[in-house]
Amino acid sequence: MVARRAASIADAGEDALFTLAGVSFRVPGRTIIEGLDLRLEVGHIHGLIGPNGSGKSTLVKMLARQEVPADGSIHFRGEDLRQEGDRAFARRLAYLPQFMPSTDGMNVEEFVSLGRFPWHGTFGRFTVEDRAKVEEAMEQTGVTAFRLRLVDTLSGGERQRVWLALLLAQDTECLVLDEPTSALDISHQTEMLDLVRTLAKKRGLSVVVVLHDINMAARICDRLVAMGAGRVVADGTPAEIMRPDVLQQIYGISMGLFAHPDSGIPVAFVR
């Protein structure tokens, strides 16, 4: 197994993106995550991988404060998640859920503008800076051309880019994405994840993303954290994870690898 020793709670400084110590999450009759220690680094794209039911989505929901741990602590940039106010937290972290809520008849521009809410609040004025952030986010995600179209009329790939624009308009330092490509075909999956990586590097963002496709994860992520039965079973660079013995440990099936003819990146396949 490839693994890293999690930092102690005393090491949960601002040099760490997230530090988890003894984190557990339970629902009636079932423990989903048990005693998890994990440290994620600033400026990296972290891919959470593993089989269904391994705890990936539960973990990102706790990181995004959508769920509360039963035990343990989570620190974000050195601060206890339980201590920060909602608006202050939303200025630092943007979350994309696995299942998108309704856009309620809004057009693209109106919807992306919601990303500025943490900065001006319910009764605050929409400023020149807010407008500039919305315009920049739409331009960087390639959705400016259909700014006046209703979000509900867009294709799946276009809607995902609009959601990403909303997150960018929020102007945070961290994106937490729960299966952002689950409803997309292979072409739009590639487009979406390449865009996430390009924008993360351009903006200096930290990213935590849940992905099912191990090859897509190895292609765009700096580090892969594999979950299994609510625990970390492997943790390392794509090169360290993309090995037959490690993939067998993660997924429980025999997998082979070959080098991509253009990039040289390892590509996994089921034997």
Side-chain angles (χ1 to χ4, degrees), residues 52-117:
N52 290 340
S54 59
K56 303 184 299 297
S57 288
T58 298
L59 174 55
V60 295
K61 286 177 182 177
M62 289 192 292
L63 298 182
R65 299 209 316 188
Q66 304 299 303
E67 299 284 6
V68 179
D71 303 300
S73 64
I74 303 176
H75 283 66
F76 175 53
R77 297 304 303 267
E79 297 184 17
D80 193 321
L81 279 189
R82 297 167 294 188
Q83 304 302 317
E84 195 164 12
D86 290 341
R87 278 186 62 190
F89 182 69
R91 291 180 178 184
R92 303 174 68 201
L93 183 146
Y95 169 62
L96 183 69
Q98 182 177 350
F99 302 106
M100 309 299 183
S102 170
T103 55
D104 293 328
M106 285 183 283
N107 66 33
V108 169
E109 185 175 354
E110 291 168 337
F111 185 68
V112 175
S113 296
L114 294 179
R116 299 304 299 164
F117 179 81

Side-chain angles (χ1 to χ4, degrees), residues 3 7 44 55 73 85 109 127 143-144 182 194 199 218 243 256:
H44 289 194
S73 64
E109 185 175 354
T127 66
V143 302
T144 304
S182 60
D194 284 349
L199 292 175
R243 293 170 18 201

Side-chain angles (χ1 to χ4, degrees), residues 153-173:
T153 68
L154 302 176
S155 70
E158 290 168 340
R159 283 197 302 272
Q160 289 295 79
R161 283 192 282 133
V162 169
W163 273 95
L164 181 57
L166 182 149
L167 268 59
L168 294 179
Q170 200 170 323
D171 199 26
T172 65
E173 60 189 278

Side-chain angles (χ1 to χ4, degrees), residues 186-239:
I186 185 67
S187 173
H188 287 100
Q189 286 181 35
T190 303
E191 178 186 78
M192 177 68 173
L193 293 177
D194 284 349
L195 183 59
V196 168
R197 181 169 180 83
T198 297
L199 292 175
K201 298 306 179 183
K202 182 176 182 178
R203 286 174 165 247
L205 299 173
S206 304
V207 179
V208 182
V209 55
V210 174
L211 293 169
H212 276 294
D213 188 322
I214 182 62
N215 291 317
M216 288 287 190
R219 186 169 179 264
I220 71 135
C221 295
D222 302 309
R223 176 178 165 195
L224 300 177
V225 178
M227 301 287 292
R231 300 177 182 276
V232 174
V233 296
D235 180 357
T237 65

Side-chain angles (χ1 to χ4, degrees), residues 129-150:
E129 181 182 6
D130 291 326
R131 172 58 55 202
K133 295 293 184 182
V134 170
E135 292 294 335
E136 180 184 38
M138 290 195 298
E139 180 181 350
Q140 290 185 342
T141 54
V143 302
T144 304
F146 38 87
R147 66 193 306 151
L148 299 181
R149 287 182 57 186
L150 296 179

